[in-house]
Amino acid sequence: MILTFLYPLLATVVLAQEWQMQSSGLASLTHYNLPTGYVGSCGCEGESSGNYPTAALNQLAFGSAYVYGPGCGRCFNLTLLDSWTSTPPFFPSSHPSVIVKITDLCPGSSPHCQATASKPNEFGYYVHFDLAYPTPAIPTGFFPSNASYYGYTDFGVWNITYTSVECIPNWAGSGNAGAMGRVPALGSSACCPGEPGGNDTCPSYSSSHVLPPNTAGGAPPRLALPYLLAMVSVCLVLLGFS
Ligand SMILES: *[C@@H]1O[C@H](CO)[C@@H](O)[C@H](O)[C@H]1NC(C)=O
Ligand SMILES: *[C@@H]1O[C@H](CO)[C@@H](O)[C@H](O)[C@H]1NC(C)=O
Ligand SMILES: *[C@@H]1O[C@H](CO)[C@@H](O)[C@H](O)[C@H]1NC(C)=O
Ligand SMILES: *[C@@H]1O[C@H](CO)[C@@H](O)[C@H](O)[C@H]1NC(C)=O
């Protein structure tokens, strides 16, 4: 009984480890509201949020369903291509780019972030970025638009290209020690390398705690402990009754 219970978990852990994010490629992009100073899933220094460009990464590419994962702290150059949600699709004349640091998880329960190793999101992409926007670092006007023709300026979803880049010196916040690294007070529930790579890449929190990747809701760090305790109680109950 215990083994039957664990097999699906182990299988998903193995799958999650096999999928590798390409260092560059196509992806979809949306934007979300992130208060300045907010500490996201990775537990990166709050000074990074809002003051410098940051983004959340979809669960599969992030590498964990909870708290931190290998995606934390990585920097990417994102370049806008086009938006097809409008009628007609919008092909802008300019293609702005922005270099972001990943500070947050876009959980598999969120729209557009539900890709798994075997199934892309509804746009056909395995990678989705949710850009913190608008912020002091990326003021309104970053996204190209044609208000006189469409009657609105926010297309919502974009096709983009992304390229993995070194945070130092490419990310605007890399010269500010207060924006690099993790919040020390969060202890071991935070992981945000200034320059991930080599031995300084975050492990997958959900894999190392054998948490299934797609259960109810995306849990911010504060929910991780209760969830863990719930899992432990489930295991104890199973042990007690088997
Ligand atoms: C980011 O991408 C844009 C568009 O391809 C390019 O012009 C720019 O040089 C890139 N920046 C870096 C730091 O790679
Ligand atoms: C953008 O995404 C849509 C929907 O997946 C697709 O039809 C279109 O060809 C894409 N455009 C580019 C440039 O990738
Ligand atoms: C807005 O879109 C219309 C129709 O495609 C086009 O004729 C016009 O040049 C566009 N304006 C700008 C500023 O892109
Ligand atoms: C791990 O990274 C640290 C900091 O960059 C470095 O000092 C150390 O030598 C590395 N250890 C190994 C085993 O690579």
Side-chain angles (χ1 to χ4, degrees), residues 10 16 43 81 93 101-102 109 113 154 164:
L10 293 176
L81 290 180
S93 51
K101 192 171 176 72
I102 302 302
S109 54
C113 292
D154 191 349
S164 175

Side-chain angles (χ1 to χ4, degrees), residues 66-218:
Y66 300 95
V67 198
Y68 50 73
C72 284
R74 292 187 67 184
C75 293
F76 295 95
N77 188 1
L78 312 181
T79 303
L80 304 182
L81 290 180
D82 55 76
S83 180
W84 71 98
T85 50
S86 53
T87 310
F90 179 56
F91 296 95
S93 51
S94 64
H95 299 276
S97 15
V98 61
I99 291 166
V100 298
K101 192 171 176 72
I102 302 302
T103 60
D104 214 355
L105 161 69
C106 184
S109 54
S110 302
H112 323 314
C113 292
Q114 72 277 43
T116 62
S118 56
K119 189 168 175 290
N121 70 7
E122 72 271 49
F123 311 126
Y125 296 126
Y126 288 91
V127 177
H128 180 87
F129 291 89
D130 207 5
L131 181 69
Y133 170 91
T135 63
I138 315 175
T140 43
F142 169 72
F143 287 91
S145 63
N146 184 343
S148 60
Y149 183 73
Y150 289 97
Y152 56 87
T153 54
D154 191 349
F155 293 99
V157 192
W158 286 77
N159 289 321
I160 66 162
T161 57
Y162 72 87
T163 307
S164 175
V165 298
E166 293 191 334
C167 293
I168 307 168
N170 295 304
W171 184 56
S174 64
N176 179 349
M180 294 283 272
R182 64 186 181 87
V183 178
L186 286 175
S188 60
S189 63
C191 183
C192 186
E195 183 75 273
N199 68 5
D200 203 14
T201 296
C202 300
S204 170
Y205 185 92
S206 58
S207 291
S208 53
H209 292 75
V210 199
L211 300 177
N214 270 315
T215 48

